[in-house]
Amino acid sequence: MSSGPAAPAQPSEPPEPTGSAPTATEVLGPHEIARALTRIAHEILERNKGAADLVLLGIPTRGLPLAHRLAARLAEVEATVDPAALVGSLDITMYRDDLRHHPTRTIGATVLPPGGIDGRVVVLVDDVLFSGRTIRAALDALNDLGRPRVVQLAALVDRGHRELPIRPDYVGKNLPTSTAERVRVLLTETDGADAVLIDGGAR
Amino acid sequence: MTTYLIRGGRPYGEDVADVLVRDGVVAAIGPDAAAGADEAVVVDADGCVVLPGLVDLHTHLREPGREDAETIETGTRAAALGGFTAVHAMANTSPVADTAGVVEQVWRIGRDSGWVDVHPVGAVSVGLAGEHLAELGAMADSAAHVRVFSDDGKCVHDPVLMRRALEYVKAFDGVIAQHSQDPRLTEGSQMHEGEISAQLGLAGWPSVAEEAIIARDVLLADHVGSRLHVCHLSTAGSVEIIRWAKARGIDVTAEATPHHLGLTDDLVRGYDPVFKVNPPLRTAADVEAVRAGVADGTIDIVATDHAPHTVEDKDCEWAAAAFGMTGLETALPVVQLTLVDTGRLSWRDVARTMSEAPARIGRVTDQGRPVAVGEPANLLVWDPRSTRVVDPTAQATMSTNSPFRGRELPGHTVATFLRGRPTVLDGRLVPAPTSHLQEEES
Amino acid sequence: MKHLLSTADLSRDEAVLILDTAAQMAATQERAIKKLPTLRGRTVVNLFYEDSTRTRISFETAAKRLSADVINFSAKGSSVSKGESLKDTALTLQAMGADAVVIRHPASGAPHTLATSGWTQGAVLNAGDGTHQHPTQALLDAYTMRRHLVGESGIADVAGRDLAGLRVAIVGDVLHSRVARSNVDLLHTLGAEVTLVAPPTLLPVGIAPWPCRVSYDLDAVVTDERPDAIMMLRVQRERMSNAGGGFFPSAVEYTRRYGLDARRMARLPEHAIVMHPGPMNRGLEISATAADSPRAVIVEQVANGVAVRMAALYLLLAQETPGSTLQEDAR
């Protein structure tokens, strides 16, 4: 799901097509995205002194493929890492604080890696970090699932405008935006191509 | 008494002829009318149909007992606005109209109200219980001169009691108006039994529950040589049985209601109790058969079965709601819509089915008379060209349970005359000079 | 979806969405902490005009697992038994701020009336009305069938799938059964083929347009149609001779012709599952052998009921409020 504020006066604005809208500006291309993920992978290993006890929990929809890509990069660096055993999926729909203000959301799957999360280092992976409410919901969801030793946060894009005291540990790209703009992340797995687009506003 | 000249109207919807009303009778028709109209108040009837005042053989006025739903005063106002000059008030009041005392009370209040003639219907059985004959003779001999007897709302189910009643009323030329509903086949029934009841999970009301009683009753009437009137028949099978009985020469008359001419059981899908009625709304095929029956004379009359109910009795879940619909103020519009505008009835046929025949069945001698010189001036001036959206809260009836709510229906009453006195003029009620309610009306 | 009144109102995609959501809800119910914060601050009223402890508890559990506040309003010992009308009760609940009303009522159409009358602004969930509909029962039945008979019985591999091609026999008192009506509509929408089996007295007049087959012969259906699932409806003993109208002559005769006994069990396909909405009359419509066999999924139906009702509550309550001024999707 792409990220950005909707104009409150137009709550039923039709969804935009997945391809780039005429006004959209590409701020990251496939190569930049790949480079950013590689860098984040290295930072994760560095910060945690290896991949031991590491769990990557992707937040559907686009956090999950990002988590898989990160796991693949970790495995390239650390031969002992089994990328499949590293990644889980954390659906936060049922923990959102804004359910009554949204069209009903289809609930995604929550799947934990075989080792669970108790005592592990959990890295939450999402595409865009914005108000921080998604991450707040993710922390609540984690709380019901177990007790990680440490929780860290990786986001491909941080567009600012935080509404909660939440900060990322790993960021692909800091993207200063106005609240009137829309930031959309496209991934090959979900959208057929890799790109980060920005549109709307008076840029 | 004021003289009225009904100018430019068409008696029976035929040739234009002015009608002069003086001293309670039709004083002149045609060119003579205008000539004798020096002092007359003119009623502009240009484009209107002039009919004998309508006679309803089947009205529930609810008084005594349920004055929260309707009173004789409010019900007869509704009748006058609907173009009626006489109504038959059904017996299922509280107390039941099963004694001379009750029928005389209803008759007197109706007379004092002065909007239409109120002819009480007497109960067939004591308390409508279907066990013992009520004092039919005493009611017939009372000031109310009851000639129509009915347990309407309940069926005279016991064949022996029905036979006795049919025989007994011969002594004073009465008629039994039967509510044909086999009680065992309709225990708990909520709507017509068919595809829609199956889907809605509402207990079905089979057509045969009506038809079986009608078949039995026409045979009984034949056997004892009595007069039978079948109330509100609603099914194609019922029409067939009446047709057969008449072909055999059995002395039976039959009635259909406007709602059975205009509405089908499909309307029940929304579970709105305004469509809950006894007998229930039937299928489109039944509606067509009933229309055809009225058109070919198998069904003698259209009667309203005006059944007002309080909001509490209708604003609730279907099963808890009362059966019945209002009808006095929508009867002729529905008949015009379904039968006249479709070319199946002429206005002369309307006069027959809604005035002459019901008066004859009820043995009301001064109503349902021809629009002719010397006849009592019970008249309706009807404008068939207008259309109106039905607003139950704007009707004169106290209750709002009209199934035609929000529908656009044709025609409206311009004037109603009761023995030469206008009860409605320009579409508005006109209180009688002697009425104690005079000051209330505009 | 504003209300859940009848399975006839559900499109195939809506029905599948409910089943998929129910699957996710069921997955959360395998965790140590079963409670989700999803409906925190929302109020769900269980308005029960009929005794049905099972259904009420199922809805109550579902609402509580989603952190909704639950008010149980039962006809017994309340103002309802003192003659208060449905309208006044509904207005009272509205004044209390009910976000959803789960209603069980003996009158067919009462939930529809509640939903369309303007008496309450909340979502209305039909928990069984008269002989009309019981949509969550049908949904849990469909959910149970999908789990056992579609895909490889996992959550992921049945997501998005319907019941295309499944053959289902529903046996018993169809005339008085809201479960049968709901199931016929829903299973047809989901692509299953339904055969109703009952004595003719227990089938409604006007059944012809229903999207199903009708048979009076259970043995023929078991042998010839080879159903994948057989659902036995509860037969109420008062429907027998005398007082109740005599829909069939005796319990023994009913059991002989329409009961699921060991002999008929043996002739069902190997994979066929046995279902019953409960409560069962053992020895009448279903023998102990059948009820307790490994192919009976009757207990599981109850468990699935909670997940399906969680899904229904979630989909009805966690939805768009027009005029919201909060930012969308504030990550």
Side-chain angles (χ1 to χ4, degrees), chain B residues 68-426:
Chain B
D68 54 339
E70 193 83 286
T71 63
I72 294 170
E73 173 70 26
T74 59
T76 53
R77 286 185 193 203
L81 278 172
F84 292 88
T85 50
V87 300
H88 287 74
M90 275 296 172
N92 61 340
T93 49
S94 179
V96 171
D98 59 359
T99 62
V102 177
V103 294
E104 284 197 356
Q105 184 197 358
V106 170
W107 175 75
R108 285 215 171 81
I109 298 173
R111 188 190 58 185
D112 292 348
S113 295
W115 298 106
V116 299
D117 291 344
V118 174
H119 295 281
V121 173
V124 173
S125 66
V126 176
L128 308 177
E131 287 166 6
H132 308 288
L133 282 183
E135 291 187 351
L136 309 183
M139 290 188 274
D141 294 342
S142 73
H145 290 286
V146 176
R147 289 296 177 271
V148 182
F149 298 90
S150 180
D151 276 0
D152 182 65
K154 290 187 175 176
C155 180
V156 181
H157 175 235
D158 180 346
V160 175
L161 184 72
M162 186 62 184
R163 173 196 172 143
R164 300 284 183 249
L166 285 166
E167 289 176 314
Y168 196 79
V169 298
K170 285 200 281 187
F172 33 84
D173 198 21
V175 64
I176 303 298
Q178 173 72 295
H179 173 116
S180 309
Q181 178 192 353
D182 186 293
R184 283 284 284 152
L185 282 171
T186 52
E187 278 172 19
S189 294
Q190 297 292 323
M191 69 171 293
H192 173 67
E193 183 165 65
E195 293 179 359
I196 294 169
S197 67
Q199 198 180 13
L200 296 183
L202 289 172
W205 189 308
S207 296
V208 63
E210 173 176 311
E211 293 154 359
I213 295 293
I214 295 176
R216 180 201 74 179
D217 286 350
V218 296
L219 295 173
L220 274 177
D222 189 26
H223 181 63
V224 299
S226 293
R227 204 149 71 86
L228 168 71
H229 177 70
V230 177
C231 293
H232 46 51
L233 65 72
S234 65
T235 76
S238 298
V239 179
E240 276 307 301
I241 294 164
I242 298 292
R243 197 172 276 132
W244 172 86
K246 286 189 165 182
R248 279 188 46 135
I250 297 172
D251 193 1
V252 60
T253 53
E255 125 197 341
T257 70
H259 45 272
H260 290 113
L261 288 167
L263 306 174
T264 62
D265 62 344
D266 202 47
L267 292 163
V268 181
R269 285 185 190 280
Y271 293 99
D272 184 345
V274 81
F275 299 112
K276 184 173 176 179
V277 66
N278 176 352
L281 299 180
R282 305 286 187 181
T283 67
D286 292 306
V287 167
E288 171 50 32
V290 172
R291 289 183 185 183
V294 175
D296 71 12
T298 301
I299 297 170
D300 303 81
I301 69 168
V302 174
T304 66
D305 196 5
H306 176 78
H309 286 293
T310 60
V311 170
E312 306 88 271
D313 285 338
K314 281 293 190 180
D315 195 12
C316 54
E317 59 272 29
W318 180 277
F323 290 100
M325 304 169 162
T326 61
L328 286 168
E329 289 160 87
T330 47
L332 189 49
V334 173
V335 168
Q336 185 188 331
L337 177 75
T338 59
L339 295 172
V340 179
D341 292 351
T342 54
R344 302 177 86 155
L345 285 190
S346 66
W347 287 108
R348 198 168 274 279
D349 294 328
V350 172
R352 172 173 53 77
T353 55
M354 295 186 75
S355 178
E356 295 160 8
R360 191 176 65 247
I361 293 166
R363 298 299 190 249
V364 177
T365 52
D366 60 343
Q367 295 268 2
R369 304 292 303 168
V371 182
V373 174
E375 293 288 350
N378 297 313
L379 296 170
L380 162 62
V381 181
W382 180 256
D383 184 350
R385 299 162 304 178
S386 65
T387 61
R388 294 187 171 184
V389 174
V390 177
D391 174 6
T393 61
Q395 292 182 332
T397 174
M398 197 187 286
S399 292
T400 55
N401 54 307
S402 170
F404 298 101
R405 173 185 59 203
R407 288 187 189 229
E408 192 174 79
L409 294 178
H412 80 276
T413 300
V414 173
T416 310
F417 288 88
L418 177 63
R419 279 182 293 281
R421 178 183 89 70
T423 53
V424 175
L425 265 186
D426 294 332

Side-chain angles (χ1 to χ4, degrees), chain C residues 3-55:
Chain C
H3 307 289
L4 181 56
L5 302 176
S6 164
T7 53
D9 302 336
L10 294 173
S11 68
R12 183 243 176 228
D13 288 351
E14 285 172 324
V16 169
L17 173 65
I18 297 173
L19 300 186
D20 288 349
T21 306
Q24 298 299 347
M25 293 294 180
T28 67
Q29 298 308 294
E30 287 161 13
R31 300 178 189 166
I33 296 174
K34 296 181 171 61
K35 199 176 176 90
L36 299 161
T38 317
L39 298 182
R40 207 154 48 91
R42 319 304 294 273
T43 301
V44 174
V45 175
N46 286 322
L47 179 57
F48 274 56
Y49 286 82
E50 282 183 344
D51 278 335
S52 177
T53 312
R54 301 160 67 99
T55 305

Side-chain angles (χ1 to χ4, degrees), chain C residues 179-208:
Chain C
V179 176
R181 281 176 180 76
S182 298
N183 264 301
V184 167
D185 290 332
L186 180 67
L187 296 177
H188 171 73
T189 298
L190 290 172
E193 294 170 30
V194 180
T195 302
L196 296 174
V197 188
T201 48
L202 290 174
L203 290 166
V205 165
I207 201 172

Side-chain angles (χ1 to χ4, degrees), chain C residues 289-310:
Chain C
T289 321
D292 299 332
S293 92
R295 289 146 75 187
V297 294
I298 298 161
V299 177
E300 189 196 315
Q301 284 175 270
V302 177
N304 292 341
V306 174
V308 162
R309 287 168 182 132
M310 287 173 76

